[in-house]
Amino acid sequence: MMPKFVLLWTDATTWALILCVLAYAVVVSRSPNLKASWRKVFREAPALCSSLILGVCLLITATDSVHYRNALPHVSGMQPGVVAYDSVTRSGLDWLLSGLVDSREDTYSRPLDYLSYRRDTVSINGQLQRVSPRLKHGGAHLSDPDHQWAVDITSRVGTGLALGLLLAAACAGALFAVLARARRAGFLETAASVWRNEGDIPWRAGLWTLVAIATLSGVTLSLMGAYHVFGTDTTGNDVLYQSLKCIRTAFVIGSLSTIATLPLAVVLGIMAGYFRGWVDEAIQYFYTVLSSVPNILLIAACVLMMQVFLDKHPDLFETGVERSDVKLALLCAVLGLTGWPSLCRLLRAETMKLRELDYVQAANAFGVGSSRIMVRHIFPNVAHLMLIVTVLDFSSLILYEAVLSYVGVGVDPSMNSFGGMLNLARKEMSLDPVVWWSFCAAFGFMVTVVLAVNLFADGVRDAFDPRARAFRPRLPISRKAVAAAQEA
């Protein structure tokens, strides 16, 4: 039977944002000015490399944003034609990682281990001894793990490296073919040019990043079918699976919360800077009062009120996933509605400068309405500030969610998040011996995502901010390629 697809609130908004990004990419491809600006972004090697990492994270987010419920088998007593569905809501990522979902152990286990972290008391030759039992899934294929484990790990790592390098070589070949066609040069000549790091775009740095991503992915895929790559937590769930699920939560928090700040910030900021007078004073008073309240207390109060409402109306949701998703969407709205004053101040100052320019004064002298001037002349000239602030705030909101979940007022405990993993790892770090792998996995994934966002944000700021530093000159394309292009 076909499963029942479930459209969550965050699923709809995530796919809408992806479609908006694709539509914006089409607009950029047709606009020479925007194309030149984004080309400046990718002229920086850190921005290009981080965009590849963010692309992988976006792919994981999109896969994890398709939810469904499996149909239950027909049993006696059910009415004909009636289909019952499972109460557990799964995603596309759950389907891809079904092996990790089903490989649940009893309790903790170390990364790539075949023994449980917990020791049981068993009787051996009439004597009670404390031994670590074998895991149900991790290394279960080994008949003699003491002698086979190291050889098996080595062979799987080698296979994963080979597959990853093969995938990277295929991607590099496709890139060389595209560049050779664009430059009207030979394939080998283009490959040599990329290796010498010639041209505007640092393709060599991007290829090394692609090789790193492909090899890590290949090794992980090769190992996770037989072992727990990052170990298991206290309930026996795979830590790698939880870390990958946290990526969607981080991207939803960062993107939706940032988008939620734009309506109030843009409208009030432009109005305050354009009209000035009592309108400016009223808006300034409003966001000054809001900024005087500590954000963490305001957000905590709003989250607790939402929690009370959700607890009193459990009949509004069919499954627990729908309930936790609504709480996540409301948390994004709260973060957005409390984080707009900084962007509003920036847009107000920029609008006060733009309204004194000649073309705005001329439009005002010809009797053009204020709303038309703000939409046609002011808004397009502050759009670059919105883009810069949006990208810069993305990483800070991810860290904000981690802090809120760490103190217990963030996302629902049933939803995977970096803050929730760190909160659970806080107790594990106090055990003896220390259970370190959950903390290291959550911390490593979160730092990777936040660092990639920050590096990409730096590139966007340098490209779109008129006061940004000058770009470093890069080596030109080889003379042969230029000559071939001129002859054509």
Side-chain angles (χ1 to χ4, degrees):
M1 297 182 182
M2 287 292 296
K4 176 183 179 181
F5 287 94
V6 179
L7 184 63
L8 304 177
W9 285 96
T10 55
D11 290 345
T13 51
T14 299
W15 283 105
L17 287 176
I18 292 175
L19 293 177
C20 290
V21 171
L22 295 177
Y24 179 70
V26 174
V27 173
V28 170
S29 65
R30 298 178 179 177
S31 173
N33 293 332
L34 288 176
K35 186 185 296 185
S37 297
W38 279 104
R39 193 174 184 85
K40 292 179 182 179
V41 175
F42 296 110
R43 284 180 60 183
E44 294 293 326
L48 177 63
C49 298
S50 61
S51 65
L52 295 176
I53 298 175
L54 293 178
V56 174
C57 295
L58 184 60
L59 180 62
I60 294 175
T61 301
T63 307
D64 202 20
S65 297
V66 179
H67 289 86
Y68 64 94
R69 294 166 61 187
N70 286 323
L72 297 176
H74 188 80
V75 296
S76 60
M78 293 181 58
Q79 298 180 359
V82 176
V83 180
Y85 294 94
D86 193 357
S87 60
V88 178
T89 303
R90 296 175 174 84
S91 68
L93 186 64
D94 296 334
W95 179 74
L96 292 175
L97 302 178
S98 58
L100 295 182
V101 177
D102 297 335
S103 62
R104 183 174 178 176
E105 307 291 348
D106 293 331
T107 184
Y108 296 113
S109 65
R110 295 183 181 88
L112 300 177
D113 205 349
Y114 57 88
L115 296 176
S116 176
Y117 190 69
R118 182 193 62 195
R119 292 190 175 186
D120 295 336
T121 302
V122 296
S123 177
I124 301 178
N125 297 327
Q127 295 182 355
L128 296 179
Q129 297 183 10
R130 299 279 292 174
V131 297
S132 298
R134 286 285 301 273
L135 296 177
K136 296 179 180 178
H137 303 280
H141 63 288
L142 302 176
S143 59
D144 186 9
D146 293 336
H147 298 88
Q148 297 175 346
W149 178 80
V151 176
D152 187 63
I153 291 291
T154 304
S155 70
R156 289 180 180 274
V157 169
T159 303
L161 286 174
L163 292 176
L165 292 176
L166 183 62
L167 176 61
C171 295
L175 175 63
F176 294 155
V178 172
L179 291 178
R181 182 176 181 180
R183 298 176 180 179
R184 298 181 180 179
F187 182 86
L188 295 179
E189 185 179 354
T190 302
S193 176
V194 171
W195 179 254
R196 291 191 298 266
N197 207 24
E198 297 175 345
D200 291 339
I201 308 299
W203 294 114
R204 187 174 66 180
L207 285 179
W208 282 117
T209 304
L210 185 62
V211 168
I213 294 174
T215 52
L216 288 176
S217 301
V219 171
T220 302
L221 290 173
S222 179
L223 288 173
M224 73 180 189
Y227 299 95
H228 300 287
V229 180
F230 291 150
T232 56
D233 61 3
T234 182
T235 57
N237 293 313
D238 191 89
V239 175
L240 174 61
Y241 167 76
Q242 298 180 46
S243 301
L244 293 176
K245 293 284 287 185
C246 292
I247 293 178
R248 177 185 181 271
T249 304
F251 264 66
V252 169
I253 288 284
S255 58
L256 298 191
S257 301
T258 305
I259 298 301
T261 63
L262 294 180
L264 282 176
V266 173
V267 174
L268 297 182
I270 294 178
M271 288 179 60
Y274 183 81
F275 290 112
R276 298 191 295 187
W278 67 269
V279 175
D280 184 22
E281 293 178 358
I283 294 175
Q284 284 190 75
Y285 181 81
F286 180 41
Y287 67 62
T288 302
V289 172
L290 183 62
S291 300
S292 63
V293 181
N295 275 353
I296 188 68
L297 297 180
L298 183 61
I299 294 172
C302 295
V303 170
L304 292 176
M305 288 189 294
M306 291 188 306
Q307 186 66 40
V308 172
F309 174 79
L310 295 177
D311 291 340
K312 290 185 177 180
H313 299 83
D315 54 324
L316 297 177
F317 315 102
E318 294 185 10
T319 61
V321 173
E322 296 180 9
R323 179 181 179 276
S324 59
D325 183 77
V326 170
K327 185 177 179 180
L328 176 61
L330 293 176
L331 177 62
C332 295
V334 170
L335 290 174
L337 295 177
T338 57
W340 60 270
S342 59
L343 178 58
C344 183
R345 289 193 187 97
L346 185 62
L347 295 179
R348 170 185 172 272
E350 188 70 15
T351 303
M352 293 179 69
K353 181 181 70 175
L354 292 174
R355 75 181 302 274
E356 302 299 332
L357 297 181
D358 293 340
Y359 64 90
V360 177
Q361 295 294 329
N364 196 11
F366 279 106
V368 180
S370 299
S371 59
R372 187 175 180 84
I373 291 176
M374 288 187 287
V375 172
R376 295 293 299 272
H377 299 294
I378 302 295
F379 178 77
N381 288 281
V382 299
H384 69 284
L385 295 177
M386 296 163 46
L387 178 62
I388 294 170
V389 174
T390 297
V391 179
L392 289 174
D393 287 347
F394 189 94
S395 59
S396 60
L397 287 167
I398 294 176
L399 296 176
Y400 222 136
E401 180 276 326
V403 173
L404 292 174
S405 298
Y406 182 78
V407 298
V409 292
V411 300
D412 195 83
S414 61
M415 178 172 288
N416 297 103
S417 68
F418 291 126
M421 288 187 66
L422 293 175
N423 188 24
L424 295 176
R426 176 185 58 178
K427 304 175 183 178
E428 298 171 349
M429 294 293 288
S430 62
L431 298 177
D432 186 22
V434 176
V435 180
W436 50 268
W437 46 89
S438 295
F439 174 82
C440 291
F443 184 78
F445 272 82
M446 184 177 67
V447 169
T448 301
V449 173
V450 172
L451 182 60
V453 173
N454 285 338
L455 292 176
F456 186 74
D458 289 341
V460 172
R461 180 195 59 199
D462 294 339
F464 284 87
D465 192 350
R467 295 164 295 183
R469 60 177 175 82
F471 287 91
R472 294 187 299 270
R474 296 188 51 80
L475 293 174
I477 304 175
S478 62
R479 295 179 180 179
K480 293 182 179 179
V482 174
Q486 290 177 352
E487 291 177 1

